[in-house]
Amino acid sequence: MGWMRRLCVVLLLSVAVVPAAWSQMGLDIINVTTDPDGAQTYSVTLQILLLMTLLSLLPSALVMLTAFTRIIIVLGLLRQGMGTSQTPSNQILVGLALFLTLFVMTPVFDQMYVVAVEPYMAEELSAEQAVMEAVGPLREFMLAQTRESDLAMFARISGHDSFETPDDVPFTLLVPSFIISEVKTGFQIGFMVLIPFLIIDMVVASVLMSMGMMMLSPLIISLPFKVMLFVLVDGWSLIMGTLASSFFI
């Protein structure tokens, strides 16, 4: 255990000495300056650090703060209802959900670009102001898809009173409310999708039992019928169209 203690000491000394050495060389890792108007300006290295941190959180934000959750739940239940455990594959389902999410979120992303990114690139807004402006369109989308009952539940748990305007809802309270609402909506749509497949399974199982073929799995016989029904009714177009239109109602 002695070598582990020595290794920890070396690492701690490295963490303490390296920044100091860089500072003496004129390479400040973290440098925050206060402008005459009171605004704070961060060094480029600190901005890069914050940017890399945000990029690491980007997949979670893409999954939980957009239409992705509802879409992937419905597609997963659809595959389960058809009985094709590996077809389409997970990569195909995630790809479909991702590009359908981009289709649904394009108006929101365009508005975020206009109100936040363009002014920031033109140096009309600071980084903090650009972030605050970018949150506005996303808040509107999330509030439009969030159930009032879910919002009231989390507000009651956190001890908040009723909100007079949507802008009064804290973002930390809106995010879990939106996620729960999306999960509920995804399961509701998935339930409606599963009903036709369930009926086919029950009919096939009843026919096999009446014929005395109880040792034959109904899933083997019902799978071709479910695939044929799904193809005849143009199921993929119906599912994708329903999912996309559910966000614009």
Side-chain angles (χ1 to χ4, degrees):
M1 298 299 292
W3 64 271
M4 294 183 63
R5 187 179 298 106
R6 289 193 294 270
L7 179 60
C8 293
V9 172
V10 171
L11 291 176
L12 291 175
L13 290 176
S14 300
V15 172
V17 170
V18 171
W22 284 3
S23 178
Q24 293 177 359
M25 297 172 58
L27 300 176
D28 293 335
I29 300 178
I30 298 177
N31 185 17
V32 181
T33 58
T34 302
D35 298 334
D37 57 355
Q40 291 182 338
T41 303
Y42 300 94
S43 61
V44 177
T45 53
L46 182 57
Q47 293 181 18
I48 294 176
L49 177 62
L50 295 175
L51 178 60
M52 296 302 295
T53 303
L54 293 176
L55 288 178
S56 65
L57 299 175
L58 183 61
S60 299
L62 178 63
V63 171
M64 307 310 298
L65 303 183
T66 63
F68 186 88
T69 302
R70 181 190 306 184
I71 296 171
I72 196 64
I73 289 175
V74 174
L75 294 180
L77 291 176
L78 170 64
R79 185 177 65 178
Q80 187 71 24
M82 293 183 65
T84 55
S85 58
Q86 298 297 328
T87 304
S89 63
N90 292 332
Q91 291 82 358
I92 295 176
L93 290 185
V94 172
L96 287 173
L98 177 60
F99 283 101
L100 187 58
T101 300
L102 293 177
F103 171 78
V104 172
M105 300 297 297
T106 294
V108 180
F109 292 155
D110 289 342
Q111 189 176 0
M112 293 172 65
Y113 182 82
V114 171
V115 301
V117 178
E118 286 185 347
Y120 176 73
M121 297 298 293
E123 298 184 355
E124 298 176 359
L125 295 177
S126 63
E128 295 84 356
Q129 293 173 339
V131 171
M132 296 302 297
E133 292 293 334
V135 171
L138 186 61
R139 281 178 58 92
E140 294 180 3
F141 170 80
M142 295 172 65
L143 282 171
Q145 306 300 326
T146 303
R147 291 180 172 84
E148 294 183 1
S149 59
D150 296 329
L151 195 60
M153 178 189 68
F154 283 100
R156 183 178 65 256
I157 294 174
S158 60
H160 287 83
D161 297 331
S162 59
F163 305 103
E164 297 181 357
T165 61
D167 295 335
D168 297 334
V169 180
F171 196 72
T172 54
L173 191 148
L174 177 60
V175 170
S177 305
F178 170 76
I179 295 173
I180 294 299
S181 296
E182 286 297 287
V183 172
K184 287 182 180 179
T185 305
F187 274 96
Q188 288 178 353
I189 298 176
F191 172 76
M192 301 301 296
V193 171
L194 289 176
I195 290 179
F197 301 123
L198 178 61
I199 294 175
I200 293 177
D201 287 334
M202 294 178 62
V203 171
V204 171
S206 300
V207 172
L208 291 178
M209 290 185 64
S210 64
M211 297 175 62
M213 304 174 65
M214 292 178 293
M215 299 300 296
L216 182 62
S217 175
L219 296 178
I220 300 176
I221 306 301
S222 62
L223 178 59
F225 292 100
K226 290 189 287 187
V227 173
M228 180 183 65
L229 173 65
F230 194 71
V231 172
L232 290 177
V233 300
D234 198 9
W236 285 112
S237 297
L238 291 175
I239 294 295
M240 292 299 178
T242 301
L243 284 172
S245 60
S246 66
F247 292 96
F248 297 99
I249 297 177

PDB file of all heavy atoms in Angstrom, residues 142-158 160-163 169 173-174 176-185 188:
ATOM      1  N   MET A 142     -41.025  22.527 -24.480  1.00  0.00           N
ATOM      2  CA  MET A 142     -41.203  21.595 -23.367  1.00  0.00           C
ATOM      3  C   MET A 142     -42.498  21.877 -22.619  1.00  0.00           C
ATOM      4  O   MET A 142     -43.203  20.937 -22.211  1.00  0.00           O
ATOM      5  CB  MET A 142     -39.995  21.689 -22.428  1.00  0.00           C
ATOM      6  CG  MET A 142     -38.695  21.230 -23.063  1.00  0.00           C
ATOM      7  SD  MET A 142     -37.236  21.549 -22.027  1.00  0.00           S
ATOM      8  CE  MET A 142     -37.581  20.490 -20.635  1.00  0.00           C
ATOM      9  N   LEU A 143     -42.836  23.147 -22.426  1.00  0.00           N
ATOM     10  CA  LEU A 143     -44.084  23.479 -21.741  1.00  0.00           C
ATOM     11  C   LEU A 143     -45.298  23.029 -22.549  1.00  0.00           C
ATOM     12  O   LEU A 143     -46.301  22.591 -21.975  1.00  0.00           O
ATOM     13  CB  LEU A 143     -44.149  24.981 -21.490  1.00  0.00           C
ATOM     14  CG  LEU A 143     -43.319  25.518 -20.324  1.00  0.00           C
ATOM     15  CD1 LEU A 143     -43.304  27.041 -20.340  1.00  0.00           C
ATOM     16  CD2 LEU A 143     -43.869  25.005 -18.997  1.00  0.00           C
ATOM     17  N   ALA A 144     -45.217  23.124 -23.878  1.00  0.00           N
ATOM     18  CA  ALA A 144     -46.340  22.713 -24.714  1.00  0.00           C
ATOM     19  C   ALA A 144     -46.568  21.205 -24.643  1.00  0.00           C
ATOM     20  O   ALA A 144     -47.699  20.740 -24.861  1.00  0.00           O
ATOM     21  CB  ALA A 144     -46.099  23.134 -26.164  1.00  0.00           C
ATOM     22  N   GLN A 145     -45.537  20.422 -24.342  1.00  0.00           N
ATOM     23  CA  GLN A 145     -45.664  18.965 -24.295  1.00  0.00           C
ATOM     24  C   GLN A 145     -45.786  18.417 -22.873  1.00  0.00           C
ATOM     25  O   GLN A 145     -45.920  17.202 -22.709  1.00  0.00           O
ATOM     26  CB  GLN A 145     -44.438  18.314 -24.972  1.00  0.00           C
ATOM     27  CG  GLN A 145     -44.158  18.797 -26.379  1.00  0.00           C
ATOM     28  CD  GLN A 145     -45.295  18.530 -27.326  1.00  0.00           C
ATOM     29  OE1 GLN A 145     -45.992  17.526 -27.203  1.00  0.00           O
ATOM     30  NE2 GLN A 145     -45.499  19.419 -28.288  1.00  0.00           N
ATOM     31  N   THR A 146     -45.747  19.273 -21.875  1.00  0.00           N
ATOM     32  CA  THR A 146     -45.777  18.825 -20.484  1.00  0.00           C
ATOM     33  C   THR A 146     -47.195  18.894 -19.940  1.00  0.00           C
ATOM     34  O   THR A 146     -47.900  19.893 -20.125  1.00  0.00           O
ATOM     35  CB  THR A 146     -44.852  19.700 -19.619  1.00  0.00           C
ATOM     36  OG1 THR A 146     -43.531  19.647 -20.156  1.00  0.00           O
ATOM     37  CG2 THR A 146     -44.819  19.193 -18.183  1.00  0.00           C
ATOM     38  N   ARG A 147     -47.607  17.850 -19.279  1.00  0.00           N
ATOM     39  CA  ARG A 147     -48.929  17.826 -18.648  1.00  0.00           C
ATOM     40  C   ARG A 147     -48.933  18.715 -17.407  1.00  0.00           C
ATOM     41  O   ARG A 147     -47.952  18.745 -16.649  1.00  0.00           O
ATOM     42  CB  ARG A 147     -49.314  16.400 -18.260  1.00  0.00           C
ATOM     43  CG  ARG A 147     -49.595  15.478 -19.432  1.00  0.00           C
ATOM     44  CD  ARG A 147     -49.956  14.097 -18.912  1.00  0.00           C
ATOM     45  NE  ARG A 147     -50.412  13.222 -19.972  1.00  0.00           N
ATOM     46  CZ  ARG A 147     -49.605  12.521 -20.766  1.00  0.00           C
ATOM     47  NH1 ARG A 147     -48.297  12.597 -20.584  1.00  0.00           N
ATOM     48  NH2 ARG A 147     -50.097  11.743 -21.711  1.00  0.00           N
ATOM     49  N   GLU A 148     -50.037  19.373 -17.185  1.00  0.00           N
ATOM     50  CA  GLU A 148     -50.150  20.230 -16.001  1.00  0.00           C
ATOM     51  C   GLU A 148     -50.117  19.398 -14.719  1.00  0.00           C
ATOM     52  O   GLU A 148     -49.609  19.866 -13.698  1.00  0.00           O
ATOM     53  CB  GLU A 148     -51.448  21.039 -16.073  1.00  0.00           C
ATOM     54  CG  GLU A 148     -51.485  22.061 -17.202  1.00  0.00           C
ATOM     55  CD  GLU A 148     -52.745  22.877 -17.173  1.00  0.00           C
ATOM     56  OE1 GLU A 148     -53.575  22.658 -16.256  1.00  0.00           O
ATOM     57  OE2 GLU A 148     -52.917  23.750 -18.055  1.00  0.00           O
ATOM     58  N   SER A 149     -50.650  18.180 -14.764  1.00  0.00           N
ATOM     59  CA  SER A 149     -50.643  17.333 -13.569  1.00  0.00           C
ATOM     60  C   SER A 149     -49.219  16.958 -13.170  1.00  0.00           C
ATOM     61  O   SER A 149     -48.880  16.951 -11.975  1.00  0.00           O
ATOM     62  CB  SER A 149     -51.463  16.067 -13.826  1.00  0.00           C
ATOM     63  OG  SER A 149     -50.945  15.341 -14.927  1.00  0.00           O
ATOM     64  N   ASP A 150     -48.374  16.653 -14.144  1.00  0.00           N
ATOM     65  CA  ASP A 150     -46.979  16.327 -13.831  1.00  0.00           C
ATOM     66  C   ASP A 150     -46.243  17.549 -13.300  1.00  0.00           C
ATOM     67  O   ASP A 150     -45.455  17.456 -12.360  1.00  0.00           O
ATOM     68  CB  ASP A 150     -46.274  15.787 -15.075  1.00  0.00           C
ATOM     69  CG  ASP A 150     -46.875  14.483 -15.558  1.00  0.00           C
ATOM     70  OD1 ASP A 150     -47.362  13.715 -14.714  1.00  0.00           O
ATOM     71  OD2 ASP A 150     -46.875  14.249 -16.778  1.00  0.00           O
ATOM     72  N   LEU A 151     -46.505  18.698 -13.910  1.00  0.00           N
ATOM     73  CA  LEU A 151     -45.870  19.930 -13.446  1.00  0.00           C
ATOM     74  C   LEU A 151     -46.314  20.266 -12.027  1.00  0.00           C
ATOM     75  O   LEU A 151     -45.496  20.673 -11.187  1.00  0.00           O
ATOM     76  CB  LEU A 151     -46.211  21.071 -14.402  1.00  0.00           C
ATOM     77  CG  LEU A 151     -45.374  22.344 -14.309  1.00  0.00           C
ATOM     78  CD1 LEU A 151     -43.913  22.043 -14.592  1.00  0.00           C
ATOM     79  CD2 LEU A 151     -45.900  23.387 -15.272  1.00  0.00           C
ATOM     80  N   ALA A 152     -47.603  20.067 -11.747  1.00  0.00           N
ATOM     81  CA  ALA A 152     -48.114  20.353 -10.403  1.00  0.00           C
ATOM     82  C   ALA A 152     -47.537  19.381  -9.375  1.00  0.00           C
ATOM     83  O   ALA A 152     -47.273  19.764  -8.228  1.00  0.00           O
ATOM     84  CB  ALA A 152     -49.636  20.284 -10.414  1.00  0.00           C
ATOM     85  N   MET A 153     -47.329  18.119  -9.782  1.00  0.00           N
ATOM     86  CA  MET A 153     -46.780  17.135  -8.851  1.00  0.00           C
ATOM     87  C   MET A 153     -45.365  17.521  -8.420  1.00  0.00           C
ATOM     88  O   MET A 153     -45.042  17.536  -7.224  1.00  0.00           O
ATOM     89  CB  MET A 153     -46.773  15.751  -9.494  1.00  0.00           C
ATOM     90  CG  MET A 153     -46.183  14.663  -8.615  1.00  0.00           C
ATOM     91  SD  MET A 153     -45.941  13.100  -9.474  1.00  0.00           S
ATOM     92  CE  MET A 153     -44.629  13.555 -10.630  1.00  0.00           C
ATOM     93  N   PHE A 154     -44.506  17.857  -9.380  1.00  0.00           N
ATOM     94  CA  PHE A 154     -43.139  18.217  -9.034  1.00  0.00           C
ATOM     95  C   PHE A 154     -43.087  19.569  -8.310  1.00  0.00           C
ATOM     96  O   PHE A 154     -42.209  19.779  -7.464  1.00  0.00           O
ATOM     97  CB  PHE A 154     -42.266  18.252 -10.289  1.00  0.00           C
ATOM     98  CG  PHE A 154     -41.864  16.892 -10.777  1.00  0.00           C
ATOM     99  CD1 PHE A 154     -42.519  16.293 -11.826  1.00  0.00           C
ATOM    100  CD2 PHE A 154     -40.823  16.210 -10.162  1.00  0.00           C
ATOM    101  CE1 PHE A 154     -42.153  15.034 -12.272  1.00  0.00           C
ATOM    102  CE2 PHE A 154     -40.445  14.948 -10.599  1.00  0.00           C
ATOM    103  CZ  PHE A 154     -41.120  14.358 -11.659  1.00  0.00           C
ATOM    104  N   ALA A 155     -44.011  20.465  -8.634  1.00  0.00           N
ATOM    105  CA  ALA A 155     -44.062  21.728  -7.906  1.00  0.00           C
ATOM    106  C   ALA A 155     -44.455  21.495  -6.450  1.00  0.00           C
ATOM    107  O   ALA A 155     -43.912  22.134  -5.539  1.00  0.00           O
ATOM    108  CB  ALA A 155     -45.050  22.676  -8.583  1.00  0.00           C
ATOM    109  N   ARG A 156     -45.383  20.585  -6.227  1.00  0.00           N
ATOM    110  CA  ARG A 156     -45.793  20.269  -4.859  1.00  0.00           C
ATOM    111  C   ARG A 156     -44.666  19.601  -4.089  1.00  0.00           C
ATOM    112  O   ARG A 156     -44.430  19.899  -2.912  1.00  0.00           O
ATOM    113  CB  ARG A 156     -47.025  19.359  -4.893  1.00  0.00           C
ATOM    114  CG  ARG A 156     -47.583  19.039  -3.499  1.00  0.00           C
ATOM    115  CD  ARG A 156     -48.823  18.186  -3.581  1.00  0.00           C
ATOM    116  NE  ARG A 156     -48.547  16.855  -4.146  1.00  0.00           N
ATOM    117  CZ  ARG A 156     -48.854  16.474  -5.374  1.00  0.00           C
ATOM    118  NH1 ARG A 156     -49.451  17.321  -6.206  1.00  0.00           N
ATOM    119  NH2 ARG A 156     -48.568  15.256  -5.807  1.00  0.00           N
ATOM    120  N   ILE A 157     -43.931  18.704  -4.748  1.00  0.00           N
ATOM    121  CA  ILE A 157     -42.830  18.016  -4.075  1.00  0.00           C
ATOM    122  C   ILE A 157     -41.718  18.997  -3.700  1.00  0.00           C
ATOM    123  O   ILE A 157     -41.140  18.928  -2.610  1.00  0.00           O
ATOM    124  CB  ILE A 157     -42.277  16.899  -4.974  1.00  0.00           C
ATOM    125  CG1 ILE A 157     -43.337  15.795  -5.155  1.00  0.00           C
ATOM    126  CG2 ILE A 157     -41.002  16.303  -4.380  1.00  0.00           C
ATOM    127  CD1 ILE A 157     -42.935  14.725  -6.139  1.00  0.00           C
ATOM    128  N   SER A 158     -41.425  19.936  -4.598  1.00  0.00           N
ATOM    129  CA  SER A 158     -40.346  20.898  -4.351  1.00  0.00           C
ATOM    130  C   SER A 158     -40.773  22.056  -3.467  1.00  0.00           C
ATOM    131  O   SER A 158     -39.941  22.892  -3.102  1.00  0.00           O
ATOM    132  CB  SER A 158     -39.823  21.443  -5.683  1.00  0.00           C
ATOM    133  OG  SER A 158     -40.861  22.087  -6.405  1.00  0.00           O
ATOM    134  N   HIS A 160     -42.977  24.500  -4.261  1.00  0.00           N
ATOM    135  CA  HIS A 160     -43.309  25.724  -4.980  1.00  0.00           C
ATOM    136  C   HIS A 160     -44.818  25.944  -4.991  1.00  0.00           C
ATOM    137  O   HIS A 160     -45.602  24.993  -5.025  1.00  0.00           O
ATOM    138  CB  HIS A 160     -42.806  25.659  -6.427  1.00  0.00           C
ATOM    139  CG  HIS A 160     -41.315  25.789  -6.540  1.00  0.00           C
ATOM    140  ND1 HIS A 160     -40.459  24.722  -6.362  1.00  0.00           N
ATOM    141  CD2 HIS A 160     -40.531  26.865  -6.812  1.00  0.00           C
ATOM    142  CE1 HIS A 160     -39.206  25.125  -6.528  1.00  0.00           C
ATOM    143  NE2 HIS A 160     -39.224  26.417  -6.799  1.00  0.00           N
ATOM    144  N   ASP A 161     -45.200  27.208  -4.953  1.00  0.00           N
ATOM    145  CA  ASP A 161     -46.608  27.546  -5.082  1.00  0.00           C
ATOM    146  C   ASP A 161     -46.999  27.559  -6.553  1.00  0.00           C
ATOM    147  O   ASP A 161     -46.203  27.262  -7.435  1.00  0.00           O
ATOM    148  CB  ASP A 161     -46.876  28.919  -4.448  1.00  0.00           C
ATOM    149  CG  ASP A 161     -46.592  28.910  -2.955  1.00  0.00           C
ATOM    150  OD1 ASP A 161     -46.742  27.841  -2.346  1.00  0.00           O
ATOM    151  OD2 ASP A 161     -46.189  29.975  -2.432  1.00  0.00           O
ATOM    152  N   SER A 162     -48.236  27.883  -6.823  1.00  0.00           N
ATOM    153  CA  SER A 162     -48.711  27.955  -8.202  1.00  0.00           C
ATOM    154  C   SER A 162     -47.983  29.078  -8.945  1.00  0.00           C
ATOM    155  O   SER A 162     -47.633  30.107  -8.367  1.00  0.00           O
ATOM    156  CB  SER A 162     -50.218  28.199  -8.239  1.00  0.00           C
ATOM    157  OG  SER A 162     -50.536  29.405  -7.561  1.00  0.00           O
ATOM    158  N   PHE A 163     -47.780  28.880 -10.224  1.00  0.00           N
ATOM    159  CA  PHE A 163     -47.051  29.842 -11.045  1.00  0.00           C
ATOM    160  C   PHE A 163     -48.035  30.684 -11.834  1.00  0.00           C
ATOM    161  O   PHE A 163     -48.985  30.173 -12.427  1.00  0.00           O
ATOM    162  CB  PHE A 163     -46.102  29.114 -12.003  1.00  0.00           C
ATOM    163  CG  PHE A 163     -45.142  28.181 -11.302  1.00  0.00           C
ATOM    164  CD1 PHE A 163     -45.358  26.816 -11.317  1.00  0.00           C
ATOM    165  CD2 PHE A 163     -44.044  28.678 -10.630  1.00  0.00           C
ATOM    166  CE1 PHE A 163     -44.489  25.955 -10.677  1.00  0.00           C
ATOM    167  CE2 PHE A 163     -43.162  27.826  -9.985  1.00  0.00           C
ATOM    168  CZ  PHE A 163     -43.387  26.457 -10.006  1.00  0.00           C
ATOM    169  N   VAL A 169     -41.914  29.148 -14.183  1.00  0.00           N
ATOM    170  CA  VAL A 169     -41.582  27.753 -13.898  1.00  0.00           C
ATOM    171  C   VAL A 169     -40.068  27.581 -13.967  1.00  0.00           C
ATOM    172  O   VAL A 169     -39.465  27.845 -15.020  1.00  0.00           O
ATOM    173  CB  VAL A 169     -42.269  26.803 -14.889  1.00  0.00           C
ATOM    174  CG1 VAL A 169     -41.901  25.354 -14.580  1.00  0.00           C
ATOM    175  CG2 VAL A 169     -43.776  26.992 -14.838  1.00  0.00           C
ATOM    176  N   LEU A 173     -37.379  22.360 -12.558  1.00  0.00           N
ATOM    177  CA  LEU A 173     -38.671  21.724 -12.303  1.00  0.00           C
ATOM    178  C   LEU A 173     -39.338  21.306 -13.600  1.00  0.00           C
ATOM    179  O   LEU A 173     -40.060  20.301 -13.651  1.00  0.00           O
ATOM    180  CB  LEU A 173     -39.567  22.681 -11.516  1.00  0.00           C
ATOM    181  CG  LEU A 173     -40.868  22.137 -10.925  1.00  0.00           C
ATOM    182  CD1 LEU A 173     -41.191  22.876  -9.632  1.00  0.00           C
ATOM    183  CD2 LEU A 173     -42.036  22.283 -11.887  1.00  0.00           C
ATOM    184  N   LEU A 174     -39.085  22.061 -14.667  1.00  0.00           N
ATOM    185  CA  LEU A 174     -39.701  21.753 -15.955  1.00  0.00           C
ATOM    186  C   LEU A 174     -39.129  20.488 -16.568  1.00  0.00           C
ATOM    187  O   LEU A 174     -39.864  19.708 -17.192  1.00  0.00           O
ATOM    188  CB  LEU A 174     -39.511  22.937 -16.906  1.00  0.00           C
ATOM    189  CG  LEU A 174     -40.020  22.775 -18.339  1.00  0.00           C
ATOM    190  CD1 LEU A 174     -41.514  22.514 -18.360  1.00  0.00           C
ATOM    191  CD2 LEU A 174     -39.670  24.007 -19.165  1.00  0.00           C
ATOM    192  N   PRO A 176     -37.828  17.470 -15.275  1.00  0.00           N
ATOM    193  CA  PRO A 176     -38.425  16.174 -14.885  1.00  0.00           C
ATOM    194  C   PRO A 176     -39.893  16.071 -15.247  1.00  0.00           C
ATOM    195  O   PRO A 176     -40.368  14.974 -15.592  1.00  0.00           O
ATOM    196  CB  PRO A 176     -38.212  16.132 -13.366  1.00  0.00           C
ATOM    197  CG  PRO A 176     -38.031  17.544 -12.959  1.00  0.00           C
ATOM    198  CD  PRO A 176     -37.363  18.220 -14.102  1.00  0.00           C
ATOM    199  N   SER A 177     -40.633  17.177 -15.206  1.00  0.00           N
ATOM    200  CA  SER A 177     -42.042  17.145 -15.598  1.00  0.00           C
ATOM    201  C   SER A 177     -42.182  16.798 -17.076  1.00  0.00           C
ATOM    202  O   SER A 177     -43.040  15.992 -17.467  1.00  0.00           O
ATOM    203  CB  SER A 177     -42.704  18.492 -15.312  1.00  0.00           C
ATOM    204  OG  SER A 177     -42.554  18.868 -13.967  1.00  0.00           O
ATOM    205  N   PHE A 178     -41.332  17.383 -17.899  1.00  0.00           N
ATOM    206  CA  PHE A 178     -41.363  17.094 -19.332  1.00  0.00           C
ATOM    207  C   PHE A 178     -40.998  15.641 -19.607  1.00  0.00           C
ATOM    208  O   PHE A 178     -41.629  14.968 -20.437  1.00  0.00           O
ATOM    209  CB  PHE A 178     -40.400  18.033 -20.057  1.00  0.00           C
ATOM    210  CG  PHE A 178     -40.171  17.690 -21.498  1.00  0.00           C
ATOM    211  CD1 PHE A 178     -41.126  17.984 -22.460  1.00  0.00           C
ATOM    212  CD2 PHE A 178     -38.997  17.059 -21.892  1.00  0.00           C
ATOM    213  CE1 PHE A 178     -40.916  17.664 -23.794  1.00  0.00           C
ATOM    214  CE2 PHE A 178     -38.777  16.744 -23.215  1.00  0.00           C
ATOM    215  CZ  PHE A 178     -39.739  17.041 -24.171  1.00  0.00           C
ATOM    216  N   ILE A 179     -39.983  15.127 -18.914  1.00  0.00           N
ATOM    217  CA  ILE A 179     -39.550  13.743 -19.148  1.00  0.00           C
ATOM    218  C   ILE A 179     -40.658  12.764 -18.786  1.00  0.00           C
ATOM    219  O   ILE A 179     -40.952  11.820 -19.539  1.00  0.00           O
ATOM    220  CB  ILE A 179     -38.267  13.453 -18.346  1.00  0.00           C
ATOM    221  CG1 ILE A 179     -37.118  14.315 -18.864  1.00  0.00           C
ATOM    222  CG2 ILE A 179     -37.907  11.986 -18.418  1.00  0.00           C
ATOM    223  CD1 ILE A 179     -35.862  14.230 -18.029  1.00  0.00           C
ATOM    224  N   ILE A 180     -41.292  12.960 -17.631  1.00  0.00           N
ATOM    225  CA  ILE A 180     -42.369  12.063 -17.216  1.00  0.00           C
ATOM    226  C   ILE A 180     -43.534  12.143 -18.194  1.00  0.00           C
ATOM    227  O   ILE A 180     -44.140  11.120 -18.551  1.00  0.00           O
ATOM    228  CB  ILE A 180     -42.823  12.418 -15.781  1.00  0.00           C
ATOM    229  CG1 ILE A 180     -41.706  12.131 -14.791  1.00  0.00           C
ATOM    230  CG2 ILE A 180     -44.065  11.621 -15.408  1.00  0.00           C
ATOM    231  CD1 ILE A 180     -41.271  10.683 -14.751  1.00  0.00           C
ATOM    232  N   SER A 181     -43.863  13.323 -18.666  1.00  0.00           N
ATOM    233  CA  SER A 181     -44.952  13.477 -19.625  1.00  0.00           C
ATOM    234  C   SER A 181     -44.631  12.760 -20.935  1.00  0.00           C
ATOM    235  O   SER A 181     -45.508  12.120 -21.539  1.00  0.00           O
ATOM    236  CB  SER A 181     -45.228  14.963 -19.884  1.00  0.00           C
ATOM    237  OG  SER A 181     -45.674  15.610 -18.720  1.00  0.00           O
ATOM    238  N   GLU A 182     -43.396  12.861 -21.383  1.00  0.00           N
ATOM    239  CA  GLU A 182     -43.009  12.197 -22.627  1.00  0.00           C
ATOM    240  C   GLU A 182     -43.065  10.684 -22.481  1.00  0.00           C
ATOM    241  O   GLU A 182     -43.501   9.974 -23.397  1.00  0.00           O
ATOM    242  CB  GLU A 182     -41.601  12.634 -23.030  1.00  0.00           C
ATOM    243  CG  GLU A 182     -41.539  14.038 -23.586  1.00  0.00           C
ATOM    244  CD  GLU A 182     -42.324  14.179 -24.872  1.00  0.00           C
ATOM    245  OE1 GLU A 182     -41.875  13.681 -25.910  1.00  0.00           O
ATOM    246  OE2 GLU A 182     -43.422  14.763 -24.839  1.00  0.00           O
ATOM    247  N   VAL A 183     -42.638  10.170 -21.343  1.00  0.00           N
ATOM    248  CA  VAL A 183     -42.701   8.717 -21.121  1.00  0.00           C
ATOM    249  C   VAL A 183     -44.161   8.245 -21.108  1.00  0.00           C
ATOM    250  O   VAL A 183     -44.503   7.219 -21.716  1.00  0.00           O
ATOM    251  CB  VAL A 183     -41.981   8.340 -19.811  1.00  0.00           C
ATOM    252  CG1 VAL A 183     -42.208   6.878 -19.478  1.00  0.00           C
ATOM    253  CG2 VAL A 183     -40.491   8.631 -19.925  1.00  0.00           C
ATOM    254  N   LYS A 184     -45.026   8.991 -20.443  1.00  0.00           N
ATOM    255  CA  LYS A 184     -46.443   8.626 -20.419  1.00  0.00           C
ATOM    256  C   LYS A 184     -47.041   8.638 -21.817  1.00  0.00           C
ATOM    257  O   LYS A 184     -47.743   7.694 -22.215  1.00  0.00           O
ATOM    258  CB  LYS A 184     -47.215   9.598 -19.516  1.00  0.00           C
ATOM    259  CG  LYS A 184     -46.983   9.424 -18.035  1.00  0.00           C
ATOM    260  CD  LYS A 184     -47.843  10.417 -17.261  1.00  0.00           C
ATOM    261  CE  LYS A 184     -47.640  10.284 -15.762  1.00  0.00           C
ATOM    262  NZ  LYS A 184     -48.470  11.271 -15.012  1.00  0.00           N
ATOM    263  N   THR A 185     -46.782   9.693 -22.571  1.00  0.00           N
ATOM    264  CA  THR A 185     -47.329   9.797 -23.916  1.00  0.00           C
ATOM    265  C   THR A 185     -46.797   8.683 -24.809  1.00  0.00           C
ATOM    266  O   THR A 185     -47.536   8.112 -25.622  1.00  0.00           O
ATOM    267  CB  THR A 185     -46.988  11.164 -24.532  1.00  0.00           C
ATOM    268  OG1 THR A 185     -47.450  12.196 -23.657  1.00  0.00           O
ATOM    269  CG2 THR A 185     -47.634  11.330 -25.887  1.00  0.00           C
ATOM    270  N   GLN A 188     -48.658   5.536 -23.983  1.00  0.00           N
ATOM    271  CA  GLN A 188     -50.036   5.602 -24.458  1.00  0.00           C
ATOM    272  C   GLN A 188     -50.126   5.317 -25.953  1.00  0.00           C
ATOM    273  O   GLN A 188     -50.976   4.546 -26.410  1.00  0.00           O
ATOM    274  CB  GLN A 188     -50.632   6.971 -24.140  1.00  0.00           C
ATOM    275  CG  GLN A 188     -50.920   7.193 -22.668  1.00  0.00           C
ATOM    276  CD  GLN A 188     -51.455   8.581 -22.380  1.00  0.00           C
ATOM    277  OE1 GLN A 188     -51.503   9.435 -23.262  1.00  0.00           O
ATOM    278  NE2 GLN A 188     -51.838   8.836 -21.143  1.00  0.00           N
TER     279      GLN A 188
END
